[in-house]
Amino acid sequence: MKHETEVYLAAWSRRVESSSGTTDGWVKFYLPDDDLLDKLSAFGDDAARGTKKAGGKLFKMILVEVDEIDEPVGVNLPKPLKLSQWAALLCKDPMFYEFLKGFHTPMIDLMRSSGVKFEPDIEKRCAQVIRFGCSVDSRSMLDDNALAAETFNDAFYNPFKQYKEGKQ
């Protein structure tokens, strides 16, 4: 089961060692609704009773503190890539040129008939096709031009993603 939700810390205790033995530390969370509790209870009666071995199941949990606007606190998450960066990565992928030749032949023919001189380097040639197909002078314009961005996603990025998944 994979589940992502927001929980709140209710209480916690450190590991305690005494003459009668060791008590493990514990953490208690408030769950947002009973639906999640029902999903967790499906792991067995031992889990519901709170024994150390919750039905013999092992769980992995990732906690990230967030501020008032749900931004991670103290975590340096990578920034999402811009469309121009995605376009550059596509041009470096050898399968992308194969995709272009198969799915964008009419556009490539139109480019040739328009007098476009293709670069000998395949990566640069792919960039030419993207720029021509999206009607931009530079891939960086994909980041600021809504129509070009939509064209890039609809004509190149999403179809190539599907193409690549079908090949694997």
Side-chain angles (χ1 to χ4, degrees), residues 95-96 98-100 103 158-168:
M95 283 182 77
F96 186 64
E98 179 185 313
F99 162 78
L100 288 178
F103 288 88
N158 292 327
F160 176 64
K161 206 164 115 179
Q162 291 173 340
Y163 171 82
K164 199 169 183 177
E165 287 171 2
K167 290 284 189 176
Q168 294 175 346

Side-chain angles (χ1 to χ4, degrees), residues 6 8 17 42 65 103 134 150:
E6 198 172 89
Y8 297 92
E17 294 187 35
E65 181 185 0
F103 288 88
C134 296
E150 184 178 348

